[in-house]
Amino acid sequence: MATIEDTVRVPPNMFDKPLEEVAAEILNKKYVGKLDKKLGILITVTQVTDHSEGTVVIGDGSAFYHVKFDALFFKPTLHEVIDGEVIEIIEFGSFVRIGPLDGLVHVSQVTNDYITYDEKRGALVANETNKSLEQSDFVRARIVALSMKGNSTKDCKIGLTMRQPGLGRFEWIEEEKQKSKK
């Protein structure tokens, strides 16, 4: 969470609505998905905490307000363990949705087993253990490569691994827990 200041232009057709709601809506349209190098990616403006009296500029019927608002950010860090959903399986790996970002688990980082791509199923399959990874599976992975350049989520690149203990598809993790209890 961070508190930020900005000026908001409120058009005349929104004058009848509460300023805090209108300002939050306008700020969300402007900032959601934007990347700040220090704070991360803005997820949402949670609330407008303070505002000035509105001023009208000649030639523009809108009112301009200086506002302070609270915003929620997501900033992944190197070596962080994250949970996500597999959103796409391709020949060289799987894309995992982690909050507002997608990370790539390369086939070499899925398991310690040799992985093949099953095009008919749209799955990655381990040769020896028959473990499979498919779209909509939930996984736990570790961030091993991170590039947060540019201004938006499209410019971010995240490399993930699931080859360490306690990582992988949730069902695999549960199986390992059951084996260790025996």
Side-chain angles (χ1 to χ4, degrees), residues 57-73:
V57 177
I58 296 173
D60 187 345
S62 300
F64 291 81
Y65 295 89
H66 181 77
V67 297
K68 285 185 184 178
F69 61 95
D70 292 335
L72 177 66
F73 288 85

Side-chain angles (χ1 to χ4, degrees), residues 2-181:
T3 301
I4 303 169
E5 295 184 34
D6 196 3
T7 300
V8 175
R9 178 184 178 269
V10 178
N13 66 332
M14 298 180 113
F15 285 169
D16 61 333
K17 298 178 185 173
L19 177 60
E20 288 80 7
E21 289 176 25
V22 171
E25 181 182 328
I26 292 168
L27 290 165
N28 273 313
K29 285 179 185 173
K30 181 177 180 180
Y31 287 115
V32 167
K34 299 290 184 200
L35 175 65
D36 179 276
K37 300 290 186 225
K38 292 180 184 175
L39 299 172
I41 296 164
L42 193 137
I43 305 296
T44 188
V45 172
T46 58
Q47 69 177 344
V48 174
T49 57
D50 193 20
H51 61 82
S52 66
E53 293 250 348
T55 56
V56 177
V57 177
I58 296 173
D60 187 345
S62 300
F64 291 81
Y65 295 89
H66 181 77
V67 297
K68 285 185 184 178
F69 61 95
D70 292 335
L72 177 66
F73 288 85
F74 173 68
K75 185 175 184 182
T77 57
L78 199 57
H79 307 298
E80 178 179 10
V81 174
I82 52 88
D83 291 344
E85 180 181 5
V86 176
I87 58 164
E88 185 179 6
I89 300 286
I90 48 180
E91 193 172 339
F92 59 85
S94 67
F95 286 98
V96 177
R97 171 90 16 103
I98 49 173
L101 298 171
D102 298 337
L104 173 67
V105 180
H106 188 269
V107 288
S108 66
Q109 297 300 311
V110 174
T111 69
N112 290 330
D113 198 348
Y114 182 78
I115 299 289
T116 55
Y117 175 60
D118 183 341
E119 191 172 356
K120 287 183 181 178
R121 280 178 55 195
L124 297 175
V125 181
N127 285 1
E128 292 177 25
T129 61
N130 274 340
K131 291 179 178 178
S132 67
L133 189 63
E134 300 180 43
Q135 188 171 327
S136 300
D137 285 343
F138 288 92
V139 298
R140 180 164 292 143
R142 181 179 306 277
I143 297 173
V144 292
L146 182 62
S147 173
M148 304 271 291
K149 296 180 180 172
N151 297 336
S152 72
T153 56
K154 294 173 189 160
D155 303 320
C156 299
K157 307 265 188 272
I158 298 177
L160 304 169
T161 186
M162 298 189 317
R163 285 183 62 170
Q164 299 168 349
L167 302 179
R169 193 170 137 191
F170 285 178
E171 291 81 0
W172 304 345
I173 298 168
E174 194 56 40
E175 287 172 16
E176 289 300 316
K177 283 182 186 177
Q178 296 304 322
K179 284 180 186 177
S180 67
K181 286 181 180 178

